[in-house]
Amino acid sequence: MKVAPSILSADFTRLYDEIMRVEDADYIHVDVMDGRFVPNITIGIPVVQKLHEKISVPLDVHLMIVEPERYTERFVKAGASILTIHAEATPHLHRAIQQIRQAGARAGVALNPSTPLDTVRYVLPDIDLLLIMTVNPGFGGQHFIPAMWDKIGAARDLLDSSGSSAILEVDGGVSPDNIGRLASLGVDMVVAGSAVFGSDDPGTTVRLMQLARRS
Ligand code: DX5
Ligand code: ZN
């Protein structure tokens, strides 16, 4: 299992040191919130750029902002390796995805818990990652929504049946307690914030979660 610790749950006053504790992670997940798409404001382009300059772990940048197409190019230039936008945040999803790829990053699409999977059907050939939100976006430390188990299984089926090689990513309420079940459902990559940075040893927690395999 690929694991992307979310820095939202890290100590922002010591951000670099916090990331160094999880340097074996596959990606560092950066949650960008604008106070409009979600009821919280976090960090933006300058932080992505500095992290890209200072750390070697690739950045998985999750944009929770309205009209993401206005900012995709700048986030890619700043150093996003994967740039994920929300399907609900733009009327021009296909165009925004193309912009991300043209700028040189891999393109992800995220779906809120209530958004039907079918929303991404016609962009599947154009995406590199499908992100199933298993909490309502905006905050770390929330509980995994049980109805999402079914959606994750359906997302795996959709990707397989369409021949898509997009990564299936899950974000929200992921911990060592549920990672085995996520692996069994064919999830390729998880985001974990509070479970990693709230643990005594974030590095060990990441390595433990990486051991999860599809059974
Ligand atoms: C929520 C963010 C998540 C969040 C996950 O809007 O997209 O990435 O940091 O936090 P946990 O793992 O604590 O649910
Ligand atoms: Zn996220």
Side-chain angles (χ1 to χ4, degrees), residues 6 8 29-33 60 62 64 131 133 171-172 191:
S6 165
L8 190 59
H29 186 82
V30 182
D31 287 306
V32 177
M33 306 186 188
D60 173 36
H62 178 192
M64 285 157 275
L131 172 53
M133 290 303 301
D171 182 1
V191 177

Side-chain angles (χ1 to χ4, degrees), residues 12 124 148 195:
F12 277 8
L124 283 180
M148 295 302 103

Side-chain angles (χ1 to χ4, degrees), residues 120-131:
V120 294
R121 181 176 296 273
Y122 300 107
V123 295
L124 283 180
D126 304 289
I127 64 174
D128 303 292
L129 179 145
L130 174 60
L131 172 53

Side-chain angles (χ1 to χ4, degrees), residues 17-53:
D17 293 340
E18 290 277 83
I19 292 173
M20 284 301 107
R21 295 173 83 187
V22 294
E23 61 181 339
D24 290 340
D26 299 281
Y27 289 87
I28 295 297
H29 186 82
V30 182
D31 287 306
V32 177
M33 306 186 188
D34 66 353
R36 289 192 63 211
F37 183 68
V38 290
N40 198 4
I41 299 176
T42 54
I43 53 180
I45 295 163
V47 174
V48 170
Q49 192 173 338
K50 280 291 167 202
L51 291 180
H52 179 61
E53 284 169 21

